[in-house]
Amino acid sequence: MAKRDKEGTKQRILDAAIDVFSDKGYNGALVDDITKLSDTSKGAFYFHFPSKKSIFKALLGTLVERIVAEVDKAIEDKAGAELKIEAALETVLQIFSRHEKATRLLFLEATGLGKTFDREVFDAHQKFAAVIAGHLQSAIDDGSIAPLDVNLTAYAWLGAIHEVMLMSFLNPQSPPLAELTKPLKSLLMSALTKKAATK
Amino acid sequence: MAKRDKEGTKQRILDAAIDVFSDKGYNGALVDDITKLSDTSKGAFYFHFPSKKSIFKALLGTLVERIVAEVDKAIEDKAGAELKIEAALETVLQIFSRHEKATRLLFLEATGLGKTFDREVFDAHQKFAAVIAGHLQSAIDDGSIAPLDVNLTAYAWLGAIHEVMLMSFLNPQSPPLAELTKPLKSLLMSALTKKAATK
Amino acid sequence: MAKRDKEGTKQRILDAAIDVFSDKGYNGALVDDITKLSDTSKGAFYFHFPSKKSIFKALLGTLVERIVAEVDKAIEDKAGAELKIEAALETVLQIFSRHEKATRLLFLEATGLGKTFDREVFDAHQKFAAVIAGHLQSAIDDGSIAPLDVNLTAYAWLGAIHEVMLMSFLNPQSPPLAELTKPLKSLLMSALTKKAATK
Amino acid sequence: MAKRDKEGTKQRILDAAIDVFSDKGYNGALVDDITKLSDTSKGAFYFHFPSKKSIFKALLGTLVERIVAEVDKAIEDKAGAELKIEAALETVLQIFSRHEKATRLLFLEATGLGKTFDREVFDAHQKFAAVIAGHLQSAIDDGSIAPLDVNLTAYAWLGAIHEVMLMSFLNPQSPPLAELTKPLKSLLMSALTKKAATK
DNA sequence: GATGAATGAGGTTTCATTCAT
DNA sequence: GATGAATGAAACCTCATTCAT
């Protein structure tokens, strides 16, 4: 009906949904908010998605994959450089701070919904953790760092990142997320025992 | 059902509210659920609290203070021992895992509600962070550990703890939170540079 | 419990009720408002009155009688003077403007309650009309004015008075009720054909 | 029940609302009563009106305008005849007695609601008074009647009409409003000093 | 006589979902 | 495919009334 019909109604709805959900939380977001923002209609919404729940789940899945893919690609490019794990960490932080809304949605709004989305939240977090854990493991395998519980560490890192982001969102006086990236990376890295490139 | 208990009714409502909110999330929790569980009535609920929002806020405030107090006391007792900061960390973890419901409420259910409770969530997290930051600072001051950004570290730790707890809640196959306590503590501690009691 | 216990709890409640009802209307007035303003309690209220409805009815009856009595007495004193009917009219207007709250309650708040208080409202208006009609009749009987439908005239006058009062209450820029008294009296009187004291 | 009528639903709701409000008063009228009588649904009601208050206000405004317009038109037609003011008065009375429900709503049910609808009630009465005052002024201007306070007179007349209507509604034994029309008109007219068509 | 915590029926409003067009 | 008026279950909250103290 409007301008760029190119983009496709479904995509416009999905885009609007990210904004609305990340702004108001799952329950606070009305289907009407989404249709208004996307300049579509209730009918269009329910033509493309069977329910409000379903679009939220779709969003969770999609976003995780999209971000994980972006992280993977970015690391791949950067690799070879210093400690791969450091690159991974930096990339995750950068990408999270770039996709602020999506991240907020994945880590904040998706939580606290009772048992409704437990499965999806768990999966999402797990996928991120898997990326981190994978790179940690490689670093161990190639002897860059001393062995450690990669799983626990991955979740701990994820949590640390999440919390720092949360506080930066909530605290208007906090420095922008971008500025927190470097010190946070240092902090997390410092927990690793660097195997001195012996010899 | 009768006029019993005197002050008891309000407390019973608060207790029930913790259970219901931590079980179903803020929006999923019905005022009716709370009154049923507390064996009171809608009227009693609204006599003691002006709204559903208000009891939730009251709960957030109360729980933070209660837990922070418990942590403080526990650390005080233990103090003198090894690295105080280690005691603090261990205590936090223990207490969190003991007050599972309250913690779940503070760290999970209170999030994802749009901007409704931003202020309260922020305050709650800040108070916990302040405890951790405080002990980190003392450790720095007395030369136990090398200087670092105590604030950032406090939030990172809080997030790490939170995320590990979250995953342990969500993943039925995860080991109980209690078992994760020790390794998590080690992980977090390892980020600190212990000033070798030189010489 | 409070100061002038002399006045009696029941009376304090009745006084408060006039204020609250005339301020907020019947439905808008809460039993709690009345007990708060009278510095008593729900228990006291329901000890003295079986229901909210009942105190309102009691009030209607009481006020009408009190005001009618005051009018009667005032006229009696003044009588003999000029046209009795003019004295009556002036008195009614004066007394209404003195008991603004009671009047507002009787003529405004008591209306618009569906059929609930129809009987009482009808009675109240009728009693006032009867006073006016009575004096009109006397004036006719003693030949001061030409015969006319005293009943219809009485209601018309009552309505005219009521409406002028209403507008003066609602319109903040209206001159005070007291100032409207004289011109209104003239207007109403001018509808009467004064039998020139012939001869 | 279906999607029929297009614009019809809103009008059906408005029509039903007039009936219900004039029957039960504002507070006594339930939104459910209105939806039942209009054979629609709660959803339809709240789709068209944001609140119960709002439909009531809408009704007040609409009805006044509709009736005032009808009066204006009727007078215009009749004009030229005798005293215009007499035509106006007769018309108002006729129309009021024809729109009994609407009138009841405007003059009775809208009152006694505390300060909630003061503004609207004031406006409604003012608009009616303005019509009357306007015609009175013309009569003065063209020399038909002697000068007088047109505003005060307009309100007094409105009140007289209102009260007579009210009593006729409340008193089951009262003659029908139609029969009261003529005598009331005479009464009100008799207050005017007819400038003898001199010479 | 008085208190005020407690009751619970009932009211207004919300909002995901449906469906005729 | 899209529209948006309509549905109605369900939620939050109100407030007259009760009753143990």
Side-chain angles (χ1 to χ4, degrees):
Chain A
M1 202 126 271
K3 30 254 153 136
R4 68 239 128 107
D5 248 333
K6 307 298 141 60
E7 218 191 317
T9 305
K10 185 170 182 178
Q11 193 54 50
R12 285 220 313 287
I13 293 174
L14 281 166
D15 290 344
I18 295 180
D19 280 4
V20 176
F21 281 133
S22 68
D23 241 47
K24 311 196 172 181
Y26 178 77
N27 282 284
L30 307 187
V31 172
D32 256 352
D33 291 336
I34 298 175
T35 60
K36 252 164 230 156
L37 186 62
S38 61
D39 190 31
T40 57
S41 70
K42 282 255 188 55
F45 181 95
Y46 280 94
F47 177 81
H48 290 292
F49 305 95
S51 70
K52 185 183 166 187
K53 239 181 203 152
S54 78
I55 195 180
F56 193 69
K57 286 186 181 176
L59 231 39
L60 291 184
T62 303
L63 288 175
V64 176
E65 249 143 66
R66 200 189 293 177
I67 298 182
V68 166
E70 195 172 341
V71 171
D72 272 345
K73 186 159 156 299
I75 290 171
E76 193 185 327
D77 293 355
K78 256 198 202 164
E82 49 195 322
L83 241 33
K84 277 198 195 141
I85 185 63
E86 195 169 357
L89 191 49
E90 192 164 353
T91 310
V92 170
L93 280 160
Q94 271 172 18
I95 289 178
F96 273 13
S97 69
R98 198 180 318 137
H99 298 281
E100 190 183 310
K101 288 201 173 200
T103 307
R104 182 171 177 115
L105 195 159
L106 283 167
F107 284 91
L108 305 185
E109 315 306 348
T111 315
L113 296 174
K115 331 241 91 119
T116 326
F117 295 106
D118 272 7
R119 169 93 259 138
E120 282 72 23
V121 171
F122 178 67
D123 286 352
H125 286 229
Q126 194 178 239
K127 272 173 196 152
F128 281 116
V131 173
I132 300 177
H135 288 283
L136 279 172
Q137 190 61 55
S138 320
I140 293 172
D141 288 348
D142 74 15
S144 311
I145 61 170
L148 78 163
D149 183 333
V150 293
N151 238 312
L152 183 70
T153 307
Y155 282 116
W157 281 18
L158 199 56
I161 296 170
H162 165 194
E163 179 77 25
V164 169
M165 286 195 312
L166 172 58
M167 285 300 111
S168 122
F169 292 153
L170 293 185
N171 185 358
Q173 296 151 22
S174 153
L177 191 50
E179 270 177 45
L180 296 170
T181 286
K182 216 165 298 180
L184 180 56
K185 190 188 68 178
S186 308
L187 176 65
L188 298 179
M189 291 301 296
S190 70
L192 306 179
T193 311
K194 281 162 206 155
K195 275 243 190 94
T198 20
K199 180 71 76 62
Chain B
M1 232 142 254
K3 257 86 221 187
R4 73 208 144 173
D5 286 321
K6 253 321 189 188
E7 246 313 86
T9 303
K10 185 171 182 178
Q11 195 53 52
R12 282 216 315 292
I13 292 174
L14 281 166
D15 291 343
I18 295 180
D19 282 4
V20 176
F21 281 133
S22 68
D23 242 46
K24 310 195 173 182
Y26 178 77
N27 283 282
L30 309 186
V31 171
D32 257 354
D33 291 337
I34 297 175
T35 60
K36 254 164 226 156
L37 185 61
S38 61
D39 188 31
T40 56
S41 66
K42 279 236 195 57
F45 181 94
Y46 282 95
F47 179 80
H48 289 291
F49 304 95
S51 68
K52 185 183 165 186
K53 242 182 203 152
S54 80
I55 196 180
F56 193 70
K57 287 186 181 175
L59 232 37
L60 292 185
T62 304
L63 288 176
V64 177
E65 247 142 68
R66 203 189 289 176
I67 297 182
V68 166
E70 195 172 339
V71 171
D72 272 344
K73 189 161 156 298
I75 290 171
E76 193 186 328
D77 291 357
K78 258 197 201 168
E82 46 195 325
L83 240 32
K84 277 195 193 143
I85 184 62
E86 194 167 359
L89 191 50
E90 191 163 355
T91 309
V92 170
L93 280 160
Q94 270 172 19
I95 289 177
F96 273 15
S97 70
R98 196 181 318 138
H99 297 283
E100 190 182 310
K101 288 198 174 205
T103 307
R104 180 171 177 112
L105 197 158
L106 283 167
F107 284 91
L108 306 185
E109 315 305 348
T111 315
L113 296 174
K115 331 239 88 111
T116 325
F117 296 107
D118 271 8
R119 166 95 260 133
E120 282 72 22
V121 171
F122 177 69
D123 286 352
H125 286 230
Q126 193 178 242
K127 274 175 195 150
F128 280 118
V131 173
I132 300 177
H135 287 285
L136 278 171
Q137 190 62 53
S138 321
I140 293 171
D141 290 347
D142 74 14
S144 309
I145 60 171
L148 78 164
D149 184 333
V150 292
N151 240 312
L152 183 71
T153 308
Y155 282 117
W157 281 18
L158 198 57
I161 296 170
H162 163 197
E163 179 76 25
V164 169
M165 286 195 313
L166 172 58
M167 286 300 111
S168 119
F169 291 153
L170 293 185
N171 184 0
Q173 293 151 25
S174 152
L177 190 52
E179 270 177 44
L180 296 170
T181 285
K182 217 165 299 182
L184 181 56
K185 190 188 66 179
S186 307
L187 176 64
L188 298 180
M189 290 300 297
S190 72
L192 307 179
T193 311
K194 279 164 206 151
K195 276 246 189 88
T198 21
K199 185 67 80 60
Chain C
M1 203 127 269
K3 28 258 156 130
R4 67 240 130 105
D5 248 333
K6 308 295 141 61
E7 217 191 315
T9 304
K10 184 170 183 177
Q11 194 54 50
R12 284 221 313 287
I13 293 175
L14 281 165
D15 290 343
I18 295 179
D19 280 4
V20 176
F21 281 133
S22 67
D23 241 46
K24 311 196 173 182
Y26 178 77
N27 282 284
L30 307 186
V31 172
D32 256 353
D33 291 336
I34 299 175
T35 60
K36 252 164 231 156
L37 186 62
S38 61
D39 191 30
T40 58
S41 69
K42 284 253 189 53
F45 181 95
Y46 281 95
F47 178 81
H48 290 291
F49 305 95
S51 69
K52 185 183 166 186
K53 238 181 206 155
S54 79
I55 195 180
F56 192 71
K57 287 186 181 175
L59 231 38
L60 291 183
T62 304
L63 288 176
V64 176
E65 249 143 66
R66 201 189 294 176
I67 298 181
V68 166
E70 195 172 341
V71 171
D72 272 344
K73 185 159 157 299
I75 290 171
E76 194 184 328
D77 292 356
K78 259 197 202 169
E82 48 191 325
L83 241 32
K84 275 198 195 144
I85 185 63
E86 194 168 359
L89 192 47
E90 191 163 354
T91 311
V92 170
L93 280 159
Q94 271 171 20
I95 289 178
F96 274 11
S97 69
R98 197 179 319 135
H99 298 281
E100 191 184 309
K101 289 201 171 201
T103 307
R104 182 171 176 112
L105 196 158
L106 283 168
F107 284 91
L108 305 186
E109 315 305 348
T111 316
L113 296 174
K115 331 242 91 118
T116 327
F117 295 106
D118 272 7
R119 169 94 258 137
E120 282 72 23
V121 171
F122 178 68
D123 286 353
H125 286 229
Q126 193 177 242
K127 272 174 196 151
F128 280 116
V131 173
I132 300 176
H135 287 284
L136 278 172
Q137 190 60 54
S138 320
I140 293 170
D141 289 348
D142 74 14
S144 311
I145 60 171
L148 78 164
D149 183 334
V150 293
N151 238 313
L152 184 69
T153 308
Y155 282 117
W157 282 17
L158 199 56
I161 296 170
H162 164 194
E163 179 76 25
V164 170
M165 286 195 311
L166 172 58
M167 285 301 111
S168 120
F169 291 154
L170 293 185
N171 185 358
Q173 294 151 21
S174 153
L177 192 50
E179 270 176 44
L180 296 170
T181 286
K182 217 165 297 182
L184 181 56
K185 190 189 67 180
S186 308
L187 176 65
L188 297 180
M189 291 300 296
S190 70
L192 306 179
T193 311
K194 279 163 209 154
K195 275 248 190 89
T198 21
K199 169 78 74 57
Chain D
M1 235 142 252
K3 257 88 223 186
R4 72 203 148 182
D5 287 320
K6 256 311 188 196
E7 247 314 85
T9 303
K10 185 171 182 178
Q11 195 52 53
R12 283 218 314 292
I13 292 174
L14 281 166
D15 291 343
I18 295 180
D19 281 4
V20 176
F21 281 133
S22 68
D23 241 45
K24 309 194 172 183
Y26 178 77
N27 283 284
L30 308 187
V31 171
D32 256 354
D33 292 336
I34 298 175
T35 61
K36 254 165 226 156
L37 185 62
S38 61
D39 188 32
T40 57
S41 67
K42 282 237 190 59
F45 180 94
Y46 282 96
F47 179 79
H48 289 290
F49 303 96
S51 69
K52 186 183 165 186
K53 240 182 204 152
S54 80
I55 195 180
F56 193 70
K57 286 186 181 176
L59 232 37
L60 292 184
T62 303
L63 288 176
V64 177
E65 249 143 67
R66 202 189 290 176
I67 297 183
V68 165
E70 195 171 341
V71 171
D72 271 343
K73 189 161 156 297
I75 290 172
E76 192 186 329
D77 292 356
K78 260 195 198 169
E82 47 196 320
L83 237 35
K84 277 198 195 141
I85 184 63
E86 195 167 359
L89 192 49
E90 191 163 354
T91 309
V92 170
L93 280 160
Q94 272 172 18
I95 289 178
F96 273 14
S97 71
R98 197 178 321 136
H99 297 282
E100 190 182 311
K101 286 196 176 208
T103 307
R104 180 170 178 111
L105 196 158
L106 282 167
F107 284 91
L108 305 186
E109 315 306 348
T111 314
L113 296 174
K115 330 239 90 107
T116 326
F117 296 107
D118 272 7
R119 168 96 258 135
E120 282 74 22
V121 171
F122 177 69
D123 286 351
H125 285 231
Q126 194 179 241
K127 274 174 195 151
F128 281 117
V131 173
I132 300 178
H135 288 285
L136 279 172
Q137 190 61 53
S138 322
I140 293 171
D141 289 347
D142 72 18
S144 311
I145 61 172
L148 77 162
D149 184 333
V150 293
N151 240 312
L152 183 70
T153 309
Y155 282 117
W157 281 17
L158 199 57
I161 296 171
H162 164 195
E163 179 76 25
V164 169
M165 287 194 313
L166 172 58
M167 285 301 111
S168 120
F169 291 153
L170 292 185
N171 184 359
Q173 295 151 23
S174 154
L177 191 50
E179 270 177 44
L180 296 171
T181 286
K182 215 164 301 181
L184 182 55
K185 190 189 67 178
S186 309
L187 176 64
L188 297 180
M189 290 300 297
S190 71
L192 306 179
T193 311
K194 278 165 205 150
K195 275 248 190 87
T198 22
K199 183 65 75 58

